Amino acid sequence: MQCPKCEGETDRVYDGDVQIDRCNHCHGLFFDQLTQRDLALVADQTGLDSGDEELGAEFNDMVYVECPRCDRIMDQRLIEDPVRIRFEICTSCHATFLDAGEFREYMSDRCRDHFVALLPESA
Ligand SMILES: [Zn+2]
Ligand SMILES: [Zn+2]
């Protein structure tokens, strides 16, 4: 598929109950759905987030990301305090896009509970 953020080509890097594609250009991760339940299923896959967070940060300010399935602008979820978390999620199909480095960061002990709280409970 085409990366919803930078239009680079993506590769399927995980094919389970949740499918994860990684962009070859910006190295962002696209989850075909990411609810709290889905996150538990892929919690040990942070190694897939092999991109450089500095590269991810370059794309961080792009806020209008279109869901490749629904053709609508994805919603932005954002908190600043006590940790900074920002990502895009489609409110209709729960597809989620994380910039390079964000999956690893958001699954850290420091961020994880806050990240989970920003996700929909179930599909
Ligand atoms: Zn990309
Ligand atoms: Zn969608």
Side-chain angles (χ1 to χ4, degrees):
M1 60 176 265
Q2 207 178 35
C3 174
K5 197 147 194 178
C6 75
E7 301 187 346
E9 278 299 308
T10 66
D11 285 328
R12 175 68 42 84
V13 290
Y14 184 74
D15 204 357
D17 291 329
V18 180
Q19 294 174 342
I20 305 175
D21 288 84
R22 186 175 58 215
C23 175
N24 290 319
H25 180 60
C26 72
H27 300 171
L29 292 180
F30 180 80
F31 299 76
D32 76 318
Q33 54 183 45
L34 196 62
T35 62
Q36 293 180 1
R37 186 182 146 269
D38 297 324
L39 184 67
L41 298 173
V42 296
D44 56 353
Q45 299 299 324
T46 52
L48 296 175
D49 188 10
S50 54
D52 179 353
E53 54 270 23
E54 279 177 38
L55 183 63
E58 275 180 47
F59 293 90
N60 212 2
D61 290 330
M62 261 183 68
V63 290
Y64 296 108
V65 180
E66 215 169 87
C67 176
R69 286 200 304 222
C70 306
D71 279 333
R72 52 183 282 176
I73 301 294
M74 294 168 84
D75 234 41
Q76 189 168 102
R77 295 287 156 91
L78 170 71
I79 56 168
E80 297 274 3
D81 194 43
V83 289
R84 182 179 166 81
I85 293 179
R86 184 167 86 172
F87 64 95
E88 285 83 24
I89 185 165
C90 174
T91 51
S92 123
C93 73
H94 298 146
T96 297
F97 187 86
L98 298 178
D99 291 312
E102 290 181 343
F103 188 39
R104 252 178 305 148
E105 186 185 347
Y106 297 168
M107 292 307 281
S108 68
D109 290 344
R110 196 168 64 94
C111 296
R112 186 171 175 157
D113 290 348
H114 304 287
F115 180 44
V116 169
L118 292 170
L119 295 172
E121 282 180 31
S122 65

